[in-house]
Amino acid sequence: MNFYKRFIGDYGRDTGQLTLAEHGAYTLMLDSFYATEKPLPKDKKALYRLLRAETEPEKRAVDHVATQFWEHLQSERAALVAQLGFGTDEEFHLLGQVATDTWFDAGGLINVRALREIIKAHAIAEKNRRTAILREQNKRAQAAGGQS
């Protein structure tokens, strides 16, 4: 995804206690998760590198935010499905498209709320794709019928 909604009120309510460095860490973590649609590295050194955390205070900020807002990916898809609370087969199917087997092999950190949003975006994109195909088929059928 190259865009995600950030509701100022929700963000402020959930993160009002964070320091400036922690806000920066959280924003970079969200940006990376949405951009790649993959879990963040579980290895702290790799996570620090990804987020450009070099000083001890920056590393502590990353650790604090990771502990508070991110969860270790469950090793089984069923556990993730239960965690996300999906109720439809379509949502489950879309989860399978986003959360590939490589996710579960590598592990890492996920933000459940962000993952729900990523899957919703995939659902909307799929619906739009089907609508566009149907619209194009109808146009072609009308054009073919008018040429007789």
Side-chain angles (χ1 to χ4, degrees):
M1 290 177 61
N2 58 11
F3 167 82
Y4 64 92
K5 292 180 183 178
R6 182 167 168 166
F7 296 100
I8 296 168
D10 292 347
Y11 182 85
R13 180 192 68 233
D14 295 343
T15 64
Q17 76 287 0
L18 297 181
T19 67
L20 182 61
E22 290 166 346
H23 279 290
Y26 190 38
T27 297
L28 289 173
M29 292 170 90
L30 284 173
D31 288 352
S32 179
F33 188 62
Y34 278 110
T36 65
E37 296 184 359
K38 294 178 182 173
L40 300 179
K42 64 181 172 184
D43 175 64
K44 280 189 175 189
K45 215 173 187 182
L47 183 61
Y48 296 152
R49 181 72 186 132
L50 175 70
L51 302 176
R52 301 177 292 281
E54 296 179 4
T55 66
E56 285 308 311
E58 290 170 341
K59 291 176 182 178
R60 281 195 304 273
V62 169
D63 291 342
H64 181 259
V65 170
T67 301
Q68 188 168 0
F69 296 101
W70 296 80
E71 300 179 23
H72 288 278
L73 179 64
Q74 301 294 326
S75 59
E76 297 178 16
R77 189 178 301 272
L80 180 58
V81 169
Q83 192 175 19
L84 291 169
F86 288 140
T88 67
D89 289 339
E90 182 180 10
E91 290 170 330
F92 181 78
H93 175 71
L94 289 166
L95 173 63
Q97 290 178 336
V98 174
T100 63
D101 290 337
T102 57
W103 272 37
F104 298 96
D105 293 341
L109 299 174
I110 60 167
N111 180 287
V112 173
R113 184 175 183 172
L115 183 53
R116 280 191 200 110
E117 292 300 320
I118 290 169
I119 292 169
K120 280 183 193 176
H122 278 265
I124 291 167
E126 179 61 22
K127 182 179 178 183
N128 290 345
R129 186 187 72 77
R130 283 191 227 138
T131 300
I133 289 170
L134 186 59
R135 184 181 313 123
E136 192 60 32
Q137 288 171 344
N138 289 339
K139 280 183 184 179
R140 288 181 183 164
Q142 287 177 351
Q147 292 179 354
S148 303

